[in-house]
Amino acid sequence: MIKVNGRQFPWEENLTIKKLLEKKNYTFPNLVVKINEKVIDPENFEVAVIADGDDVKVIHLITGG
């Protein structure tokens, strides 16, 4: 089990950020993802593996004035 934005979510082996975003239907183009408070470079979303028990935060970047 992992936490995604404070909520429990089932963990599976070889779960990458990209797979997680697909499973959670995150389609917003500007996302910041943190695993255990470490920001993950978007170029690594396909290879960054989430471990069981990790705390994942997905943050939508919105600008405005």
Side-chain angles (χ1 to χ4, degrees), residues 5 13 16-17 20 24-26 30 32 37 42 49 51:
N5 291 346
E13 196 165 329
T16 64
I17 294 173
L20 176 67
K24 296 286 288 177
N25 295 318
Y26 284 104
N30 298 321
V32 171
E37 300 301 322
V49 177

Side-chain angles (χ1 to χ4, degrees), residues 23-36:
K23 288 179 176 281
K24 296 286 288 177
N25 295 318
Y26 284 104
T27 58
F28 195 74
N30 298 321
L31 296 172
V32 171
V33 177
K34 296 165 81 175
I35 298 177
N36 299 325

Side-chain angles (χ1 to χ4, degrees), residues 7 15 18 27 33 35 38 41 54 57-58 60-61:
R7 295 185 178 196
L15 179 64
K18 182 179 179 187
T27 58
V33 177
I35 298 177
K38 180 182 176 190
D41 189 323
D54 277 352
K57 291 191 175 58
V58 181
H60 294 80
L61 292 181

Side-chain angles (χ1 to χ4, degrees), residues 1-12 15 19-25 50 52-54:
M1 194 68 73
I2 61 174
K3 275 188 177 180
V4 180
N5 291 346
R7 295 185 178 196
Q8 298 289 325
F9 188 80
W11 175 82
E12 62 185 54
L15 179 64
K19 286 181 187 175
L20 176 67
L21 295 177
E22 290 171 356
K23 288 179 176 281
K24 296 286 288 177
N25 295 318
I50 300 168
D52 191 17
D54 277 352

